[in-house]
């Protein structure tokens, strides 16, 4: 069992086309707060990030924002957080978020979200970190990504066992339980 005290949540700085995404971000924030799990996130009031933080704070949760100087200067910082850290670059910011978290969750989002999630997957794969990571598959949003993962496996760029190197769930409680119970894949990534 993994002891998860803090989760870094990656998610869209936009809200997405459907209300479902906003509701899911808020639901995740509420569930993490009710389970006493602290949140680290991008530190903005914008998009799904704002909905996540607002719901967690309303539920008595603890929320830390980690933002860059450039985004802060644009006025993107959420004003009601328990803590905010400002870093000079996106690279420094991602490193800090990874250091603060025991596990990672990606809600739906754009290239920023995908890049952050793929980085933690890669770092786990290469053994630089050992922290569970999961996709909150709202509305089947991440099925095209999982189809790409299956394509990597079919084309022998990824061992089949590595499909289980991340947790994919459509409900917050199942996702968090999956992260707590997660057992790392021991098959090495190189196939020859
Ligand atoms: P995207 O999915 O492209 O909207 O990017 C969202 C991800 O990139 C988040 O998880 C944040 O870490 C980061 N990010 C993008 N835009 C912002 C912003 N305005 N404020 C804070 N973080 C942001």
């Amino acid at each position: 069992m993994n002891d998860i005290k803090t989760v870094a949540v990656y998610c869209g700085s936009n809200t997405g086309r459907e209300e479902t995404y906003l509701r899911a971000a808020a639901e995740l924030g509420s569930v993490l707060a009710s389970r006493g799990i602290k949140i680290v996130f991008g530190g903005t009031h914008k998009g799904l990030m704002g909905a996540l933080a607002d719901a967690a704070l309303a539920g008595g949760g603890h929320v830390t924002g980690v933002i860059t100087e450039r985004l802060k200067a644009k006025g993107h910082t959420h004003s009601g957080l328990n803590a905010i850290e400002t870093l000079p670059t996106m690279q420094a910011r991602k490193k800090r978020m990874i250091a603060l978290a025991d596990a990672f969750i990606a809600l739906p989002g754009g290239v920023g979200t995908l890049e952050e999630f793929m980085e933690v997957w890669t770092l786990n794969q290469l053994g630089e970190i050992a922290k569970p990571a999961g996709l909150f598959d709202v509305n089947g949003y991440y099925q095209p990504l999982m189809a790409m993962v299956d394509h990597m496996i079919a084309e022998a760029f990824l061992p089949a066992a590595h499909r289980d190197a991340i947790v994919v769930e459509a409900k917050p409680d199942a996702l968090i339980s999956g992260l707590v119970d997660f057992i790392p894949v021991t098959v090495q990534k190189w196939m020859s």
Side-chain angles (χ1 to χ4, degrees), residues 105-185:
I105 290 176
L107 269 153
V111 292
T113 301
L114 203 55
E115 194 265 341
E116 290 166 324
F117 186 79
M118 294 313 272
E119 178 173 2
V120 295
W121 189 345
T122 307
L123 293 176
N124 271 308
Q125 194 180 48
L126 296 173
E128 290 196 18
I129 60 171
K131 299 183 178 185
L135 296 169
F136 186 178
D137 193 23
V138 182
N139 258 355
Y141 183 78
Y142 279 115
Q143 288 309 305
L145 176 63
M146 294 316 292
M148 184 68 211
V149 169
D150 286 338
H151 183 56
M152 292 175 194
I153 292 167
E155 296 300 312
F157 285 105
L158 183 72
H162 282 231
R163 204 182 195 280
D164 298 326
I166 58 165
V167 180
V168 184
E169 292 287 351
K171 297 272 178 234
D173 275 309
L175 179 54
I176 295 163
S177 299
L179 295 173
V180 170
D181 297 338
F182 179 76
I183 298 167
V185 168

Side-chain angles (χ1 to χ4, degrees), residues 34 53-55 75 83 86 104 107 114 128 140 150 187 189:
S34 72
D54 289 344
T86 309
F104 310 94
L107 269 153
L114 203 55
E128 290 196 18
D150 286 338
V187 175
K189 71 170 272 183

